[in-house]
Amino acid sequence: MAFLLPFAAAAAAAIVFIIEENQRRRREEEENARRIREEEENERRRRKEEDERRRREEEDARRRKEEEDAKEKFESHKKKMEQLKGQPRLPKSSVPKRYDIWLKPDLSTCKFDGTVVIELSIIADTSFIILNAAELSIDTTSISFTHLATANSSNSNQVLKALYVDVVEEDEILVLDFADTLPIGIGLLTIVFKGILNSKMKGFYTSTYEHNGEKKNMAVTQFEPADARRCFPCWDEPAFKAMFKITLDVPSQLVALSNMPIIEEKVDGDLKTISYQESPIMSTYLVAIVVGLFDYVEHLTSDGIKVRVYCQVGKVNQGKFALEVAVRTLELYKEYFAMPYFLPKLDMVAIPDFAFGAMENYGLVTICERNLIYDYQHSAAANKQRVVITVAQELAHQWFGNLVTMEWWTSLWLNEGFATWASYLAANHLFPEWEVWTQFLIDCTEELRLDGLAESHPIEVEINHAREIDEIFFDAMSDKKGAFVIRMLQSYLGAECFQRSLASYIKKFACSNAKTEDLWVALEEGSSEPVNQLMNSWTKQKGYPVVSVKVEDEKLVFEQSQFLASGSLGDGQWIVPITLCCGSYDVHKNFLLQTKSETLDMKELRSDGSNLASSWVKLNVNQTGFYRVKYDEDLAAKLRYAIENKYLSATDRFGILDDSFALCMARQKSLNSLLILMGAYNGELEYTVLSNLINISYKVERIAADANPELLECIKQFFIYLFRRSAMKLGWGPKKGESHLDALLRGEVWTALAVFGYDPALKEASRRFHAFLDDRNTPLFHPDIRKAAYVAVMRRVSSSNRFGFENLLRVYRETDLRQEKTRVLSSLASSPDPSIILEALNFLLSSEVCTQDAVLGLAVSREGRETAWTWLKDNWEHISKTWGSGYLITRFVSSIVSVFASFEKAKEIEEFFANRTESKIARTLKQSIEQVHINANWVQSVQNE
């Protein structure tokens, strides 16, 4: 066995070798495998890195491309935005059809939340949606446009997000720029936003009132002319009519009103959600919301329209007269316009803080409190008439403005002029004994004065941008002059023809928009008269004519020229509807003066051919034409005789006086001739005539004082002589069965005597005022004479005798009747003492006076002009900040500036405002400075007589 040992050893060694070889080979294989794996891993890593590098390169390229595309798109967006800025109108590529608005006003923080979903129609290729928004905080992440698939389409609704959202503050527009062209058709635009309940009396704002001795806020809207955009994003132009569905979340104890009736109200603790019926189609400026604490009275019209008047709690009885007027007026307009009122309800709300007299919101008329409430014990006859005119005007708008709406603000006068005209039509129908068409002449004297300025403007002014609206919206041309030329046209065409044509126009354009020319077409079709040609001469050029008339060889010679209060020559020419009578109202003639001059044979005035040379001739019979008349000396003398013997109607006596005063101011007649004419009115008792005589006397007294202070006392005594007889006949208290016009006149004539220092008037006023202080219900102090008594009391107030001033302030603070506060405010600056006037003016700026009421106290006495001017300069920054956003600031300028009468003062005023002129006061300032120049020239003319 031993011999086997070497073999065993060899075998073992072989086995070991084999094992080791196998291990070596395994290690080599493993190493090779590892190396291969490493190589593969390295290759994978290299490939990955290469892939990553390529990916990064591709990503960088893509990013650079996106950035370049984004930059290109942004540059394109910027260019488009530049093109969009300053555009006069919104584009018509998208048109709103329906608004669903949710608002939640917080009356404590004076903020509100809102959401609007607008159904709109994309009618042209565009990637933009452009609408109005101002002073709103827009949640840009909320904005979406959902294109609605049509019923026969297989596509689903498409939700699009805006690529860019821009608010252009200067144009008050919200621009939504989408990545692609928007699909044609119907879609829903959703926007969430927040806003401020401001204190500017426009947009969505707060008004304050007292309840149980505690001051509270109410929320109110005032959207005309272009402030709906301050409450919700919208197409804020009158032509973009749509339907409105409104939902409000408000405190559960408050009343919340909107244009339409409530359809659902859910109370959840201290909060309630109110949903309103969807409105018919209307413009955004007519949308309205009021939230506050109110009581109401209500009544139904014959066709079931529910009419309500909302007043502050405890004052509901003061709304009853307005309610009666509203119901009767709706019945009248339904018949006159041959069209029923369009909504199921009409609410009227008394608002304490309100920039305008009223606002005609469809179905929810908001009215300044003093123009809506009537207290049978403490309101004057003038307040009663103001309620009637205001309510009738706003209700007329429900047809003329709301049902038929101007296409653009250029035709604003069509809304305002017609509503004003209709308000007198209604008042005359409801209260014919008031003779409101005669009073209409008084209300238009200021418009005639303004339109006699070189700085006037036509009734119809081309509005190129929404920012220009305020300048025109807030002056009298579109309102009173518009109403006057409409009345002139009605007189020319005839009442029946005019009414029939007007009803046809309303029927044709109901629920749509119209331009001025559309009305002229309707009236031409109904009358076969050249209405368009006739009326364009009155609406498209500023000013008006003075028709001079004289007698030559038994012929009347007429010549027209533009009347300018400066006495300068104007180049305007009109088609003038001439009406005249000769010696009697039975002898009359009507014709159109279409050239500069024309003659009329007096034989044509009477068929029997009798000599009319000795007869008086009166042009513009009953003052239906918007023009002045200048008579030669002989004709003027005959008219003066006719006035003294009461041969002429009150309207014609008014017209002769008003024209003579205007011609005197324009230095075309002497002051002496005017005073002689005024003397013919001694003992005049017709309200309209005597009221105008009083207003003219105030202006003459100021001019006389500036021209020759030594003659001032003589002038005052002349006016006392002129008014004393009328005052004695009227007395201080109402008489049983007296007319409304006597009640109006009483206060005015005693005020005039107080201003001119008639001692018996001052003493009696003081006696009655003391009785009132002792007993607020004394019969000695009827509301109709309170203003006169307050002025009389203030005429005796001085820094050493403050009793009247301090007690008037006490009356102001103690009364809760807005009309009483107005009477006090309008009297405080009547004192001749500059230090008292300064106190009175400073009081206007205090927190005790409502913002919009401050302008009521700017009627400063002649002695206080310089004090008022200094006060205006010292407080201009505050005044501009407080009232600069609305039209009220113009009243500060016109009331204080236009009363001066020296070239030096005009220059001083120009220098002060050189760097302070704002767009809203630009025209008023120019007009006021022009009036100062006119006064200065008039003073020089009087000095040279």
Side-chain angles (χ1 to χ4, degrees), residues 286-331:
L286 296 170
V287 176
I289 295 163
V290 176
V291 181
L293 204 56
F294 297 101
D295 277 342
Y296 68 86
V297 286
E298 71 175 15
H299 197 66
L300 296 178
T301 64
S302 62
D303 47 358
I305 303 298
K306 184 179 290 185
V307 183
R308 287 180 175 178
V309 174
Y310 286 84
C311 302
Q312 290 181 42
V313 174
K315 295 185 178 182
V316 69
N317 287 333
Q318 297 174 8
K320 288 182 177 179
F321 178 67
L323 177 66
E324 174 195 339
V325 171
V327 171
R328 294 175 64 191
T329 302
L330 284 177
E331 302 281 8

Side-chain angles (χ1 to χ4, degrees), residues 177-246:
D177 187 358
F178 293 83
D180 300 308
T181 300
L182 297 171
I184 300 294
I186 301 297
L188 298 178
L189 176 64
T190 301
I191 305 174
V192 176
F193 56 92
K194 295 179 182 292
I196 301 294
L197 292 171
N198 67 74
S199 57
K200 300 175 183 178
M201 293 183 287
K202 67 178 186 178
F204 203 8
Y205 73 94
T206 56
S207 175
T208 59
Y209 63 101
E210 279 196 11
H211 179 62
N212 294 331
E214 181 184 354
K215 277 200 170 185
K216 293 182 176 292
N217 285 335
M218 66 172 69
V220 186
T221 56
Q222 170 57 45
F223 291 162
E224 192 180 20
D227 291 310
R229 63 192 68 181
R230 285 171 171 76
C231 183
F232 57 94
C234 58
W235 277 255
D236 203 10
E237 294 179 7
F240 286 112
K241 285 190 164 186
M243 293 178 283
F244 294 83
K245 177 76 171 64
I246 294 176

Side-chain angles (χ1 to χ4, degrees), residues 796-825:
R796 287 187 160 183
V797 167
S798 66
S799 53
S800 60
N801 177 22
R802 298 174 54 86
F803 176 84
F805 180 60
E806 290 172 352
N807 278 282
L808 266 182
L809 290 178
R810 180 159 68 91
V811 171
Y812 179 90
R813 288 163 177 150
E814 290 177 357
T815 185
D816 66 348
L817 183 66
R818 199 60 170 270
Q819 294 156 354
E820 194 70 68
K821 290 182 181 291
T822 297
R823 285 191 283 262
V824 174
L825 283 179

Side-chain angles (χ1 to χ4, degrees), residues 766-789:
S766 178
R767 183 181 77 85
R768 290 172 180 267
F769 180 61
H770 278 79
F772 177 65
L773 293 179
D774 293 336
D775 177 9
R776 292 293 196 270
N777 296 312
T778 177
L780 292 175
F781 212 61
H782 192 274
D784 291 332
I785 63 155
R786 289 183 191 177
K787 169 69 181 297

Side-chain angles (χ1 to χ4, degrees), residues 662-782:
L663 291 166
C664 181
M665 181 188 290
R667 295 168 290 131
Q668 296 183 35
K669 289 190 69 166
S670 68
L671 178 60
N672 188 56
S673 67
L674 175 63
L675 292 174
I676 290 171
L677 175 64
M678 293 175 77
Y681 291 85
N682 184 27
E684 177 69 60
L685 279 173
E686 285 287 346
Y687 170 70
T688 305
V689 184
L690 189 51
S691 178
N692 197 35
L693 193 66
I694 289 168
N695 290 333
I696 289 171
S697 71
Y698 292 148
K699 297 169 184 175
V700 169
E701 184 238 14
R702 291 193 176 214
I703 291 298
D706 287 327
N708 189 348
E710 294 179 2
L711 291 178
L712 179 59
E713 193 56 38
C714 292
I715 291 288
K716 286 183 175 181
Q717 290 304 314
F718 171 70
F719 289 141
I720 289 172
Y721 157 78
L722 204 56
F723 303 135
R724 188 173 51 200
R725 275 178 57 192
S726 303
M728 295 307 174
K729 287 181 180 178
L730 291 164
W732 280 91
K735 294 180 174 60
K736 187 176 181 180
E738 73 176 2
S739 71
H740 170 77
L741 296 176
D742 282 350
L744 289 175
L745 184 56
R746 179 175 293 108
E748 291 194 26
V749 73
W750 283 115
T751 299
L753 288 172
V755 168
F756 295 129
Y758 183 49
D759 195 58
L762 298 176
K763 289 179 178 177
E764 182 61 18
S766 178
R767 183 181 77 85
R768 290 172 180 267
F769 180 61
H770 278 79
F772 177 65
L773 293 179
D774 293 336
D775 177 9
R776 292 293 196 270
N777 296 312
T778 177
L780 292 175
F781 212 61
H782 192 274

